[in-house]
Amino acid sequence: SGTSRPVRILHHVQKVAQYGDAQSVLSAVDSYCSKIEWAMNVGDLKGQILDAVVLETRPHYVLELGTYCGYSTVRIARLLPPGARLFSIEMNPQYAQVAREIIQHAGLDVDILVGCTSDLIPQLKKKLDIEKFDFVFIDHWKVSYLRDTKLLECDLLRPGSVLLADNVTCPGAPDYLHYMRTSPRYESQYFPSRLEYLSRGGGGALPGIKLLLNVT
Ligand SMILES: Cn1cnc(CNC(=O)c2cc(-c3ccc(F)cc3)cc(O)c2O)c1
Ligand SMILES: [Mg+2]
């Protein structure tokens, strides 16, 4: 097929979701990825955990690592009060462009920064006139979670900042998980869940590898 999976998701959103209606955009992505083809969006089950943490934190400055198609970006942005700012970093320019169009279709305003987190995080203070992030959603390369968290600790976090990370057990970010559970800087909480789009009735293609995961 000539198009990429993110582009097919974008086309589905543009076809079935109501312009300016963030919830219909989320529902369109979730129905496509549970019925037609799996994709690594955080999904609706873990998305409800994300929603709860955002609502409880009421953040003003938010950073997301790993935009992909913008699904979690829309999930977060739709819950922020006016005046709050959301920045999302994506390394893949094609993903970033799809995300911009999905976020636009949802009627939301987000700054997508294209580049590698290890390059961009140290530049954020200078680039954006913000002090600290109140909330960070981490969902990019699992091997980069710990490295990038330590970069954030150099003056982009404050006492009370909340970090929420997807996939710490599946596919896994064991070094990050151990660090957060043992560092005196953090109180850690683990939310058991299931991999996105697995509890499936319909057909649809699963990701490349056979998913025989006993995911807790
Ligand atoms: C290419 N790329 C750009 N960003 C990233 C970072 N995200 C992931 O790697 C990621 C992977 C999986 C996943 C994949 C296959 C499988 F069998 C089970 C789980 C789930 C997720 O929620 C993820 O966030 C990857
Ligand atoms: Mg993920």
Side-chain angles (χ1 to χ4, degrees), residues 38-42 46 66 68 90-92 95 139-142 145 166-167 170-171 195-196 207-211 213:
W38 188 92
M40 59 183 168
N41 317 110
V42 74
K46 291 186 285 178
Y68 189 42
E90 176 51 55
M91 185 173 74
N92 181 313
Y95 292 174
D139 192 22
H140 61 329
W141 291 112
K142 311 315 158 193
Y145 281 27
D166 189 24
N167 312 113
C170 168
L195 183 65
E196 54 265 28
I209 66 169
K210 191 100 192 75
L211 271 175
L213 301 162

Side-chain angles (χ1 to χ4, degrees), residues 22-176:
Q23 190 52 56
S24 76
V25 166
L26 296 174
S27 303
V29 175
D30 285 334
S31 64
Y32 184 83
C33 296
S34 44
K35 295 185 192 109
I36 315 294
E37 56 179 333
W38 188 92
M40 59 183 168
N41 317 110
V42 74
D44 190 56
L45 187 64
K46 291 186 285 178
Q48 291 173 46
I49 299 169
L50 173 57
D51 291 356
V53 175
V54 171
L55 288 169
E56 186 184 322
T57 308
R58 298 169 54 79
H60 191 79
Y61 290 114
V62 180
L63 178 65
E64 176 180 58
L65 306 182
T67 317
Y68 189 42
C69 297
Y71 175 89
S72 50
T73 325
V74 167
R75 268 205 100 108
I76 297 166
R78 86 193 201 286
L79 299 177
L80 296 181
R85 298 301 313 279
L86 171 51
F87 302 91
S88 186
I89 299 178
E90 176 51 55
M91 185 173 74
N92 181 313
Q94 284 74 38
Y95 292 174
Q97 191 47 39
V98 163
R100 279 195 191 91
E101 297 187 44
I102 286 182
I103 293 161
Q104 183 186 46
H105 198 89
L108 297 165
D109 173 28
V110 175
D111 289 84
I112 313 277
L113 310 174
V114 182
C116 178
T117 47
S118 57
D119 297 335
L120 289 178
I121 289 172
Q123 299 170 12
L124 287 180
K125 228 167 172 45
K126 195 164 40 12
K127 254 193 171 165
L128 321 165
D129 64 341
I130 74 138
E131 278 305 300
K132 314 280 186 188
F133 287 108
D134 308 303
F135 177 73
V136 183
F137 182 56
I138 308 172
D139 192 22
H140 61 329
W141 291 112
K142 311 315 158 193
V143 294
S144 304
Y145 281 27
L146 181 54
R147 176 200 68 190
D148 292 346
T149 296
K150 290 187 170 171
L151 286 175
L152 288 168
E153 287 175 354
C154 306
D155 210 21
L156 281 167
L157 301 176
R158 58 167 176 76
S161 292
V162 173
L163 306 180
L164 182 66
D166 189 24
N167 312 113
V168 293
T169 48
C170 168
D175 56 346
Y176 171 83

